[in-house]
Amino acid sequence: QVQLAESGGGLVQAGGSLRLSCQASGSTLGAIGWYRQAPGQQRELVATISSGASRNYLDSVKGRFTISRDNAKNTVYLQMNSLKPEDTAVYYCNYKIYSTRGDLIADYWGQGTQVTVSS
């Protein structure tokens, strides 16, 4: 059983920075995604990092957010700079496991960490 634990959220003024961490236990992580969900909004994918450290970002966070990983610590980070009020959301890390055929066979989520950006 994989367990994901996010940390690092908080309250910050616009223009500030936060670094979120997602530490895994129970398995060595493969590809990881950071999602966020604002009140009344659908959950959206913010950034992904593969086991080989390839990265993808939501257009609205490109140039401001950086996803990285420390395999020795089994931890994935999301460095968020130049934060905006519209970045306010609960941030979740997610780990999906696929079969060799590409079928989703497991889908793990952390409990989420609140990020609030004041204007």
Side-chain angles (χ1 to χ4, degrees):
Q1 181 74 12
V2 176
Q3 292 187 322
L4 304 174
E6 302 100 334
S7 61
L11 173 63
V12 64
Q13 289 188 332
S17 297
L18 286 172
R19 188 177 80 155
L20 306 184
S21 299
C22 172
Q23 184 162 28
S25 59
S27 176
T28 300
L29 293 178
I32 289 289
W34 278 101
Y35 288 75
R36 67 186 181 188
Q37 188 166 22
Q41 304 293 319
Q42 289 190 332
R43 193 170 293 190
E44 64 179 352
L45 180 59
V46 175
T48 61
I49 186 166
S50 71
S51 56
S54 295
R55 300 168 173 86
N56 286 287
Y57 297 96
L58 182 67
D59 283 348
S60 62
V61 308
K62 284 180 180 177
R64 300 189 297 121
F65 290 11
T66 302
I67 190 169
S68 63
R69 64 191 302 150
D70 183 335
N71 291 331
K73 296 181 179 179
N74 219 21
T75 299
V76 174
Y77 303 98
L78 186 67
Q79 178 67 44
M80 306 186 295
N81 298 328
S82 302
L83 282 161
K84 303 176 180 180
E86 52 264 42
D87 295 318
T88 295
V90 179
Y91 284 71
Y92 300 89
C93 61
N94 172 251
Y95 177 40
K96 291 179 169 57
I97 300 175
Y98 293 89
S99 70
T100 54
R101 298 191 315 171
D103 300 317
L104 181 64
I105 57 175
D107 193 11
Y108 298 103
W109 294 88
Q111 80 286 354
T113 185
Q114 176 71 47
V115 171
T116 302
V117 184
S118 63
S119 57

